[in-house]
Amino acid sequence: MGRDVEFKKDLTDEIKKNADDLIVKVNQLLLRAKVSGIECECNPDTGTSVSSGWRPPAVNKAVPGAAIRSNHMTGKAIDLYDPEGVLDNWCMSHQGAMAEIGLWMEHPSATKGWCHLQSVPPRSGNRVFYP
Ligand SMILES: [Zn+2]
């Protein structure tokens, strides 16, 4: 999204490492979804399937309803474009795959239009949680 350039001073090596780790895991999950016929969609307005990736503090502050300590700020969370909830539904019925890979998701009822995945457990430890 170009934030690595615009907010270069906020992008630490640790965040980069977190994001690399997250992307590997999310790609593993998407590969499994693809095998069952679920394709990640691109948003026609942006040309990418990523609705929100890394959020520097200034960006996170401007996101309505974003958590103050959002995992998006540390490169540990991603929102994927999911207008019909197809990916959300697939993840809900494949929580074992998420557990094997090491991903957690926000409950689809809280993420209408996108699928939030993260590489750290929420405080509850639940694979699927309410933000
Ligand atoms: Zn998110």
Side-chain angles (χ1 to χ4, degrees):
M1 292 175 151
R3 290 173 183 169
D4 55 329
V5 178
E6 192 181 346
F7 300 95
K8 199 174 179 169
K9 64 171 175 44
D10 294 326
L11 187 55
T12 63
D13 285 345
E14 193 187 347
I15 292 172
K16 281 186 205 168
K17 202 170 143 274
N18 292 342
D20 285 345
D21 171 65
L22 175 69
I23 288 165
V24 167
K25 289 177 174 174
V26 169
N27 281 336
Q28 284 176 7
L29 191 72
L30 291 178
L31 194 61
R32 293 210 197 182
K34 196 173 180 176
V35 170
S36 18
I38 302 300
E39 289 267 15
C40 190
E41 278 186 63
C42 274
N43 182 333
D45 294 334
T46 60
T48 171
S49 55
V50 178
S51 294
S52 189
W54 172 57
R55 291 182 198 148
V59 172
N60 194 65
K61 252 182 230 163
V63 174
I68 293 170
R69 290 174 207 280
S70 166
N71 286 305
H72 283 278
M73 293 172 69
T74 49
K76 293 179 179 173
I78 189 169
D79 296 337
L80 295 171
Y81 181 67
D82 189 26
E84 308 300 332
V86 174
L87 188 58
D88 265 345
N89 288 341
W90 184 88
C91 289
M92 286 298 280
S93 56
H94 293 81
Q95 293 181 36
M98 288 199 294
E100 282 172 34
I101 294 167
L103 288 171
W104 288 261
M105 75 182 290
E106 287 180 357
H107 195 278
S109 65
T111 58
K112 293 265 187 264
W114 72 94
C115 171
H116 170 105
L117 295 168
Q118 62 182 53
S119 55
V120 279
R123 218 169 292 162
S124 67
N126 294 335
R127 191 62 52 188
V128 180
F129 64 99
Y130 291 90

